[in-house]
Each structure stands twice: as C-alpha cells, then as structure tokens.
Amino acid sequence: MSESQVSAARSERETVHTVPVVIVGGGPVGLVLAMFLDRYGVRSLLLNTETVTRWQPKGSTHNSRTMEHYRTLGISKRLRAVGLPPDYPTDVGYFTRLVGHELQRVVLPSEREKTQAAAAAPVTDQVPEPIFRSNQMYVEELLLAHARTLPNIDVRFGWTCTGIKDRGDEVVCAVEEIATGRREAFRCAWLAGCDGARGITRRE
C-alpha cells in the first residue's frame, strides 16, 4: 500500500463521515463544481490546502462561456462589479518594454460598452455574457465568499487530503486540518480532483 492508502486506512478505523462528493482543490474549478452540485441539491466537501484564496495576480480574462456558467449560478453581475472600472478601456497593447515604444494595439470596448451592446442585442444573440476582464485573485475571493453561503457545501480551506482508498464503488478519503493536525475520514461516491497536476488525486 502507498503512504496515502495507509493514511486513508488509518483514518477509516476512526469515525467515517459520508458525503456524496469530495472535491480536492478549492480554485475556480473546484469552487464552481461545488456550486453547481449545490444547485442540484448535492452535498459536497470542498478541501483546499491554503487557508485563503490566492493573493497574487494570475489570469485576468474570463471568456463568455465561463461568464455564462456564472450567470447560471446567479453571480455574473456580482463578479462584473469586481472588474475594471466600467469606462476603463480593455485594450491589449504590445510594447518593446514596460516603458518603451508601443508597437501595436488591439482596441477593445470597455465593460460599460460591452454590457450596453449585450443589453441591446436580440434575444437570439449568441453572446449574452460578454468577455470579462478581472484578475483571478479578485474573482476567486468572491467565489469563495459565495460558496460559504450555500447550504450543501462544507468548505474547508486549510485542510488537505492525505490519503485516498478507492474501493471501486466508493472512495474513502483521509483529510487533515493543517494548522491543528486534526484528522477525519470521509466516504464518498465521487472524488473530484481539482488540485492540479501535482495534486494527490493525480498521483493516486
């Protein structure tokens, strides 16, 4: 048995809780998965090693399809409020260096122009949610705050999955609170690996 399977087996001897879905990884993918499960009345446990969402800049563009998912969840308008100022241009510029000469510019509409165009478009328009520019760290913060308000999501930031035991028709996960060392075990029908290429679910 691998180290993680031993950890899962050890935790299984303790009290084992049951939840339909365990989601390992609390980034945008894990958070949105938990929200959609909640929308359909499915309970989930959401684990994330960090205690807070990322604080450093990362992705800054959310495409129309992503925004449609957020609209389905009822949060697209709230997300647009954490983006650039509504009249700020969203142009993409190419420069020789940060304070050098501009080589080329792709002119793009402001948030206000995009939303006004969408509102004036016919109901058959294929882009009801225009592309949105906001840094991922601000979007993740709002997603986490919203997830904490939903009744079917057990949000555990600061917790890590230490072991996985796949039984074929169910999975037993050993989890640990990093700050305290507190351990629990969860039996689930589905384990969703949203913890990236180096996460435990990929390894196991």
Side-chain angles (χ1 to χ4, degrees), residues 5 12 50 55 60 63 106 109 111 119 126 133 150 159 188:
Q5 288 174 321
E12 190 177 2
E50 300 298 325
W55 55 269
S60 64
N63 65 33
V106 179
E111 181 65 19
Q126 295 185 32
R133 296 285 293 277
L150 301 177
W159 287 70
C188 61

Side-chain angles (χ1 to χ4, degrees), residues 1-23:
M1 267 201 275
S2 69
E3 183 179 340
S4 71
Q5 288 174 321
V6 170
S7 179
R10 185 184 303 117
S11 293
E12 190 177 2
R13 291 195 295 270
E14 304 166 359
T15 301
V16 180
H17 308 285
T18 301
V19 65
V21 182
V22 172
I23 302 169

Side-chain angles (χ1 to χ4, degrees), residues 22-173:
V22 172
I23 302 169
V24 182
V29 175
L31 284 163
V32 171
L33 172 59
M35 290 177 195
F36 270 106
L37 290 171
D38 171 81
R39 187 170 185 265
Y40 294 109
V42 179
R43 294 183 299 112
S44 67
L45 170 70
L46 178 65
L47 304 169
N48 193 71
T49 304
E50 300 298 325
T51 57
V52 295
T53 55
R54 73 184 73 244
W55 55 269
Q56 75 275 23
K58 200 176 180 184
S60 64
T61 303
H62 309 270
N63 65 33
S64 296
R65 184 58 180 148
T66 299
M67 293 307 298
E68 287 174 15
H69 288 313
Y70 291 145
R71 183 179 64 161
T72 301
L73 293 168
I75 58 174
S76 61
K77 288 185 179 179
R78 288 175 56 195
L79 280 170
R80 289 190 184 278
V82 300
L84 296 169
D87 293 315
Y88 198 85
T90 59
D91 296 359
V92 176
Y94 296 88
F95 297 81
T96 55
R97 58 178 55 86
L98 188 60
V99 293
H101 299 288
E102 181 175 331
L103 301 174
Q104 185 58 273
R105 176 175 295 267
V106 179
V107 179
L108 297 170
S110 67
E111 181 65 19
R112 190 185 307 280
E113 290 169 332
K114 286 185 293 185
T115 52
Q116 287 175 343
V123 293
T124 54
D125 187 82
Q126 295 185 32
V127 188
E129 286 286 347
I131 191 170
F132 174 55
R133 296 285 293 277
S134 178
N135 201 280
Q136 186 175 325
M137 61 183 181
Y138 302 123
V139 171
E140 281 190 38
E141 187 177 17
L142 190 149
L143 292 177
L144 176 58
H146 181 64
R148 292 189 191 279
T149 69
L150 301 177
N152 292 306
I153 308 176
D154 182 355
V155 179
R156 299 204 184 185
F157 268 51
W159 287 70
T160 186
C161 178
T162 59
I164 298 169
K165 186 177 182 182
D166 187 354
R167 290 177 162 180
D169 60 347
E170 67 176 13
V171 180
V172 177
C173 300

